[in-house]
Amino acid sequence: MDQSVSKLSEVKLETSFQDQKPGTSGLRKSSQQFAQENYLESFIESIFQTLPGVFGGVLILGGDGRYGNKRAIDVIIRMAAAHGVSKIITGINGIISTPAASHLIRTREAIGGIILSASHNMGGENGDFGVKINADNGGPASEVLTEAIYKCTKTLEKYKIAEASPIPIDIKGIYSIGDMSIEVLDGVDDYIDLMKSIFQFDLIKSLLASNFPIAFDAMNAVTGPYAKRLFEDLLEAPSNTVRNFIPLEDFGGMHPDPNLTYAKDLAYLLLNGDEYSFGAACDGDGDRNMVLGQRCFVNPSDSLAILVANYSCVPGYKNGLSGVARSMPTSSAVDVVAKELDIPCYETPTGWKFFGNLLDAGKITLCGEESFGTGSNHIREKDGLWAILFWLQILSVKKCSVSQVMRDHWNRFGRHYYSRHDYESIPSDIANQIYKKVELTLPAMIGTSFADGIVQTADNFSYLDPIDHSITNNQGLRIILDNGNRVILRLSGTGTQGATIRVYFESYVPPSGKLDQDPQEALSLLISGIEKLAEIKLLSGMSRPTVIT
Ligand code: G1P
Ligand code: ZN
């Protein structure tokens, strides 16, 4: 279908928007905020005026299928045509997971990508929407770029858009508007090829055929089509393996965050029954993963450490790992493995973009975060299905259960008891008051006793990037004890309602210690210690955290 641009319009903005500051994952707001006239257009215009190479460049465009995707894709295609983009590549119905988009940016030599998602936040008319900008390396845009986009939104007076009827993105093909072509591809194909180049599908297939039933929950979000193809078509798991596999605009009311609270049906199946040997789920845009074994939950920090310890099971990494990285609040379980492997282990602030420089410079091969995110140098985003395949590959090689892999790991390296407590939707002024109070108390805590140790470090984490030497401050309050135990307190940067306080607890037990405690019990002194200091429950009026991981 060819369309010549009947008209190029310049639309005047009555007022410029002042609230379009992108966070760690782009501009994330409620669907209702995005419904304001010209709100989306203002942000997109600012991207097109700021992103290098727009005129004549190739752009990847897609999303997780949530409410707002269809309209946004139509608007962005027409605005791209007005800005002289040479080609837009999108998936059928605009469906492209975040990891698949990262891969396409890299293989199609695009100038970057626009990913329409609010990740693990709820969707629908009353949920959230988001616009994420990825750079030409396939990773989240740098702070310098997002700041420049933000600056542009504040003074913007008009935007450019082509008038053309919508492209039929439900059908694969090549279309055009004026000089710009639009390729609608099956977003799943390229991604599957990439996975085949890393893992041994035949080996995993034999595991699944050997009385090893698995369940995967796509949470009515983007991974449904990918998981159906992977697990059921290629790895030949039974046809009911993938649950909630049709991407829905409101995720069928599910909160597409794969944790024990929001993926509770899957968690219940695995933790209370013997029907499945392995269970997994991904989030709205497919970059997060949760892994469960029979009656066993794999903490994401442990998951990263286990993948690193077992890298040699995976052909894609047979040449070894150059190094690894974890975000600061992620447990030190991976540090212990890196030490044993004699490879560097970097500690970065929260957010995937901080891994980008290390990956681009070849300093690290695997990396991850406590928030159900794991990934490698194969792309520049975390990758939910990749992590799940990594686990299945390890299990195929070791021919044992998930719980056995974990037990072996703890017996060898010791166990880092770990938990994260989230207090969601607290009024912002109260959350800030709690955070400030703790921050002001920190200097006086050094050398005093706290929980089961003496405070050795009490500060607000700042990061010196070893590649570009930039400094990022204010990345979370740390209380580190002389026995290595830690409590971290952060304010979330991805919520849209009020503020969310995250408290992270970590306590190490060597292989000779008690390895089978309940984490909440093992961490109880740290948990009561921070409540005494921060008074989160008292000041927020919440009797317990919203989510405990
Ligand atoms: C959360 C996670 C963080 C992750 C980000 C994007 O951010 O904690 O690890 O990188 O989502 O998926 P937060 O809300 O804590 O700022
Ligand atoms: Zn996500």
Side-chain angles (χ1 to χ4, degrees):
M1 186 176 88
D2 278 337
Q3 291 193 0
S4 52
V5 183
S6 52
K7 203 173 147 212
L8 244 174
S9 298
E10 282 203 345
V11 181
K12 251 185 121 47
L13 293 167
E14 293 305 320
T15 48
S16 47
F17 294 99
Q18 300 299 311
D19 66 340
Q20 298 193 319
K21 189 175 173 62
T24 40
S25 311
L27 183 67
R28 196 175 289 187
K29 300 279 179 191
S30 68
S31 298
Q32 276 159 18
Q33 266 168 289
F34 265 102
Q36 293 170 75
E37 197 182 358
N38 296 330
Y39 192 84
L40 172 75
E41 290 82 349
S42 153
F43 192 64
I44 300 299
E45 176 70 24
S46 305
I47 295 175
F48 284 145
Q49 288 194 16
T50 315
L51 187 71
V54 166
F55 190 85
V58 176
L59 189 73
I60 309 299
L61 172 65
D64 60 9
R66 71 177 63 218
Y67 175 82
N69 264 231
K70 280 204 187 100
R71 184 183 100 81
I73 285 176
D74 172 51
V75 166
I76 295 169
I77 286 177
R78 289 186 294 118
M79 288 183 71
H83 282 271
V85 168
S86 74
K87 183 174 188 175
I88 290 269
I89 299 174
T90 189
I92 296 174
N93 290 322
I95 295 285
I96 303 184
S97 73
T98 291
S102 179
H103 180 53
L104 281 172
I105 293 169
R106 295 163 66 75
T107 51
R108 300 297 182 108
E109 287 171 15
I111 56 161
I114 297 180
I115 302 174
L116 306 166
S117 170
S119 184
H120 51 285
N121 292 17
M122 288 186 79
E125 222 164 323
N126 298 313
D128 290 337
F129 187 71
V131 177
K132 202 175 123 172
I133 312 110
N134 280 34
D136 59 357
N137 70 344
S142 68
E143 205 125 333
V144 175
L145 183 59
T146 53
E147 266 306 304
I149 293 169
Y150 174 49
K151 213 172 147 204
C152 187
T153 63
K154 292 200 288 187
T155 52
L156 201 67
E157 289 177 349
K158 56 187 179 204
Y159 66 86
K160 285 198 290 188
I161 188 161
E163 285 182 15
S165 42
I167 299 295
I169 55 167
D170 52 335
I171 307 165
K172 212 167 141 171
I174 309 268
Y175 307 91
S176 70
I177 295 181
D179 293 337
M180 184 180 85
S181 68
I182 301 118
E183 180 180 349
V184 179
L185 46 73
D186 180 336
V188 178
D189 290 339
D190 293 59
Y191 179 78
I192 299 279
D193 288 344
L194 176 64
M195 293 302 109
K196 280 184 175 163
S197 73
I198 300 173
F199 303 105
Q200 283 167 300
F201 276 40
D202 281 351
L203 198 69
I204 301 176
K205 198 155 72 179
S206 18
L207 171 78
L208 302 191
S210 67
N211 191 21
F212 192 88
I214 68 168
F216 176 82
D217 196 337
M219 304 190 86
N220 300 313
V222 80
T223 51
Y226 294 82
K228 269 266 172 204
R229 182 90 62 83
L230 259 177
F231 299 124
E232 298 182 10
D233 297 350
L234 295 166
L235 297 169
E236 297 177 8
S239 63
N240 57 357
T241 298
V242 180
R243 293 147 187 268
N244 302 313
F245 57 85
I246 300 175
L248 300 175
E249 287 205 328
D250 64 349
F251 305 126
M254 281 181 103
H255 190 153
D257 197 359
N259 58 40
L260 295 174
T261 304
Y262 298 133
K264 62 177 185 314
D265 292 349
L266 181 82
Y268 186 84
L269 268 182
L270 269 292
L271 300 180
N272 299 288
D274 298 325
E275 200 182 332
Y276 294 100
S277 305
F278 181 90
C282 287
D283 73 331
D285 62 332
D287 55 359
R288 293 185 174 199
N289 75 92
M290 175 170 73
V291 166
L292 299 151
Q294 198 172 91
R295 298 182 186 268
C296 149
F297 164 68
V298 183
N299 184 286
S301 294
D302 280 342
S303 183
L304 174 64
I306 289 169
L307 301 194
V308 171
N310 294 288
Y311 78 87
S312 61
C313 293
V314 182
Y317 305 103
K318 64 176 183 301
N319 294 333
L321 309 178
S322 60
V324 292
R326 63 163 171 87
S327 67
M328 182 274 282
T330 303
S331 95
S332 331
V334 69
D335 304 36
V336 180
V337 180
K339 200 165 171 210
E340 165 111 2
L341 294 175
D342 197 22
I343 53 172
C345 178
Y346 298 86
E347 183 181 40
T348 62
T350 295
W352 207 260
K353 66 177 174 219
F354 294 100
F355 296 136
N357 277 353
L358 295 167
L359 288 164
D360 285 346
K363 299 276 185 207
I364 59 171
T365 312
L366 300 186
C367 48
E369 295 195 274
E370 48 62 45
S371 51
F372 297 89
T374 359
S376 91
N377 60 355
H378 68 294
I379 50 170
R380 294 295 179 272
E381 289 280 2
K382 54 191 177 241
D383 190 343
L385 288 165
W386 166 90
I388 294 162
L389 288 169
F390 203 131
W391 262 97
L392 290 172
Q393 171 89 26
I394 294 173
L395 297 169
S396 316
V397 172
K398 294 194 168 277
K399 299 195 177 16
C400 68
S401 66
V402 174
S403 56
Q404 191 59 48
V405 170
M406 295 191 64
R407 189 143 298 278
D408 290 350
H409 188 87
W410 295 334
N411 282 332
R412 184 168 164 209
F413 298 102
R415 179 169 180 185
H416 290 77
Y417 283 103
Y418 187 83
S419 184
R420 180 175 112 179
H421 291 190
D422 297 331
Y423 295 84
E424 296 177 342
S425 306
I426 302 179
S428 296
D429 53 340
I430 293 180
N432 289 330
Q433 182 197 339
I434 294 170
Y435 190 85
K436 271 275 153 258
K437 184 176 79 162
V438 176
E439 188 174 19
L440 290 173
T441 317
L442 292 180
M445 288 181 73
I446 298 170
T448 66
S449 64
F450 181 87
D452 55 353
I454 305 291
V455 178
Q456 208 166 51
T457 305
D459 65 1
N460 192 336
F461 180 63
S462 67
Y463 178 63
L464 170 66
D465 187 300
I467 311 299
D468 65 18
H469 308 293
S470 60
I471 294 174
T472 311
N473 292 317
N474 197 21
Q475 292 302 304
L477 308 180
R478 309 191 289 182
I479 300 170
I480 308 176
L481 309 184
D482 55 348
N483 55 15
N485 292 351
R486 303 192 302 164
V487 181
I488 314 291
L489 199 139
R490 275 184 70 246
L491 291 175
S492 155
T494 60
T496 55
Q497 277 156 23
T500 292
I501 295 182
R502 304 201 197 283
V503 196
Y504 312 76
F505 305 96
E506 175 182 343
S507 171
Y508 177 65
V509 170
S512 56
K514 265 182 99 178
L515 298 174
D516 54 1
Q517 293 178 74
D518 170 63
Q520 302 306 315
E521 248 166 58
L523 298 163
S524 61
L525 284 177
L526 296 173
I527 294 171
S528 54
I530 196 71
E531 183 52 31
K532 216 166 126 198
L533 179 74
E535 299 181 304
I536 304 174
K537 293 197 176 90
L538 186 80
L539 295 170
S540 70
M542 292 169 80
S543 59
R544 58 189 308 278
T546 331
V547 177
I548 294 181
T549 300

